[in-house]
Amino acid sequence: MSATRRRRTGAPSVLGALAAFTASALALAGCGAPVGHRADGHAGAPGRADGHTGAPDRGHCPRLQRPVATADADWQPVAKALGRTGALRENVVFGISLPRRDLKVTSRGVDIGTSLALNGSADFARYCDGTMLMGDLVLTEDELPKATEALQEAGIEQTALHKHLPEQSPPIWWTHFHAMGDAVTLARKLKTVLEVSGDPIAVPPPASTPPIDLDTDGIDETLGRKGIAEGRTYKFFLGRAETVTSHGHVLPAPIGVDTVIKFQALGEEQAAVTGDIVMTAGEVQNVIRILHRGGFEIVELHNHMLDDQPRLFYVHYWGVGDGVELAEGLRPALDATNLAPPAPAS
């Protein structure tokens, strides 16, 4: 990385990307029964995740559906069914974190923190024709076949399988999933899958963590956005500017179509950084070149979904060094993609 710290001012936060459609989404809340991709794997057939088919009036739902605005209270039955707590993001995505605190993983000599790269998720969004579930699971090699079988038995689609880290001990896999149906039924089905992947919920978070020994102000200035502190990790979630759809549904960025940057403090303002940059096909080679020239290791290049439009690719990267200098190396790669402009500071 460059030894000279450059301070860049960026465009403003990316979270405003959903504001434009929130009002119109509210109008869809009263739409009819589910008609779409079923959680039993039958694409396009009318039905619910619990297998009860019906004869809904397809005219009640628009051809291109936007997520419906919701409140925390709407999702408490889902949290109860999964036995976990969650958080509502952008008023449309209810996200439940699935941390693997039971795993001890190292990569390139770094002890990997749970919030850096051992945290799966289950994200729910409501649409006119039902609820979408998307997310990913962090699995050991022994757990992977069992989780695959459980997902198939639950009728939840597996949409991607890959690794997020370079040389790792023990080997860890990530599998992405997707389903449509009744929200509580989806949560119950997913719980049967989680039961074969250890018992991470039984491992409590640490009572306290040391402060982040990073120049977070410098990282923010360099990336042009404000990060979020979580324990020893400083992270960013950056949505794209264009509308992304899957199965005729507009996908909000927090459901899993955002660029992710995570810095784990290593002491003396040094950090390990990892995450993935979301790209269209035309952006891929330029981003890889920029990352390679910046000294980052390219870990994986893959898709997360089966029919997203535009087709999106995700490049996972790895780097260790001064936190601000890592941010300086990442900034040109971010600028080479069609990121949504940051929202003005409040």
Side-chain angles (χ1 to χ4, degrees):
M1 301 296 167
S2 166
T4 302
R5 295 186 176 181
R6 301 184 298 276
R7 294 293 185 267
R8 309 183 193 197
T9 58
S13 177
V14 288
L15 297 179
L18 293 173
F21 62 73
T22 299
S24 62
L26 285 166
L28 298 177
C31 289
V35 289
H37 220 72
R38 283 171 32 172
D40 58 7
H42 298 288
R48 305 196 312 243
D50 56 8
H52 296 287
T53 59
D57 182 355
R58 293 175 181 268
H60 284 184
C61 295
R63 294 183 63 183
L64 183 62
Q65 299 181 46
R66 297 184 182 275
V68 176
T70 55
D72 277 301
D74 298 325
W75 298 105
Q76 293 318 299
V78 169
K80 182 178 179 180
L82 267 174
R84 289 160 167 81
T85 59
L88 186 62
R89 300 191 293 271
E90 302 296 313
N91 294 323
V92 290
V93 174
F94 185 71
I96 294 178
S97 181
L98 304 174
R100 292 301 305 265
R101 299 190 190 98
D102 55 324
L103 299 178
K104 305 298 182 184
V105 179
T106 61
S107 182
R108 296 287 191 252
V110 174
D111 292 331
I112 302 300
T114 303
S115 58
L116 178 69
L118 297 174
N119 201 5
S121 66
D123 298 311
F124 297 81
R126 183 177 297 173
Y127 293 86
C128 177
D129 65 351
T131 295
M132 178 182 290
L133 166 64
M134 285 180 61
D136 46 17
L137 302 175
V138 181
L139 303 165
T140 66
E141 289 197 340
D142 289 340
E143 294 166 349
L144 178 57
K146 302 172 188 176
T148 297
E149 181 177 2
L151 286 166
Q152 294 298 318
E153 289 180 354
I156 299 175
E157 297 177 339
Q158 254 177 304
T159 59
L161 175 62
H162 47 250
K163 295 182 178 180
H164 285 189
L165 295 167
E167 177 271 326
Q168 49 184 334
S169 179
I172 300 296
W173 292 87
W174 291 65
T175 187
H176 291 251
F177 55 84
H178 169 273
M180 285 289 298
D182 172 76
V184 173
T185 301
L186 290 172
R188 289 173 180 159
K189 288 177 176 289
L190 181 60
K191 188 174 183 180
T192 67
V193 179
L194 298 179
E195 289 169 354
V196 306
S197 58
D199 191 16
I201 195 171
V203 181
S208 62
T209 56
I212 297 178
D213 183 13
L214 291 173
D215 181 2
T216 55
D217 288 341
I219 292 172
D220 288 346
E221 185 178 348
T222 301
L223 295 181
R225 290 154 172 88
K226 179 67 177 173
I228 304 166
E230 181 183 341
R232 296 172 58 223
T233 303
Y234 197 61
K235 55 189 182 179
F236 297 80
F237 300 94
L238 315 176
R240 290 186 61 90
E242 70 270 58
T243 297
V244 179
T245 66
S246 176
H247 300 303
H249 301 82
V250 174
L251 300 180
I255 207 167
V257 290
D258 44 10
T259 285
V260 177
I261 307 169
K262 293 184 177 182
F263 298 84
Q264 177 178 297
L266 302 179
E268 299 182 350
E269 298 192 355
Q270 299 293 295
V273 67
T274 189
D276 51 359
I277 297 176
V278 186
M279 310 160 293
T280 56
E283 296 168 345
V284 170
Q285 299 309 314
N286 193 26
V287 169
I288 289 177
R289 279 192 295 269
I290 292 169
L291 290 174
H292 178 68
R293 290 170 183 169
F296 295 95
E297 186 172 353
I298 306 301
V299 178
E300 288 270 2
L301 173 65
H302 50 241
N303 304 100
H304 285 178
M305 291 166 282
L306 301 179
D307 74 336
D308 45 347
Q309 297 294 327
R311 198 78 171 103
L312 296 178
F313 299 82
Y314 298 72
V315 61
H316 288 260
Y317 55 86
W318 170 265
V320 175
D322 175 86
V324 174
E325 292 177 6
L326 290 169
E328 290 174 351
L330 286 172
R331 180 60 188 266
L334 301 180
D335 291 344
T337 66
N338 188 27
L339 286 180
S346 56

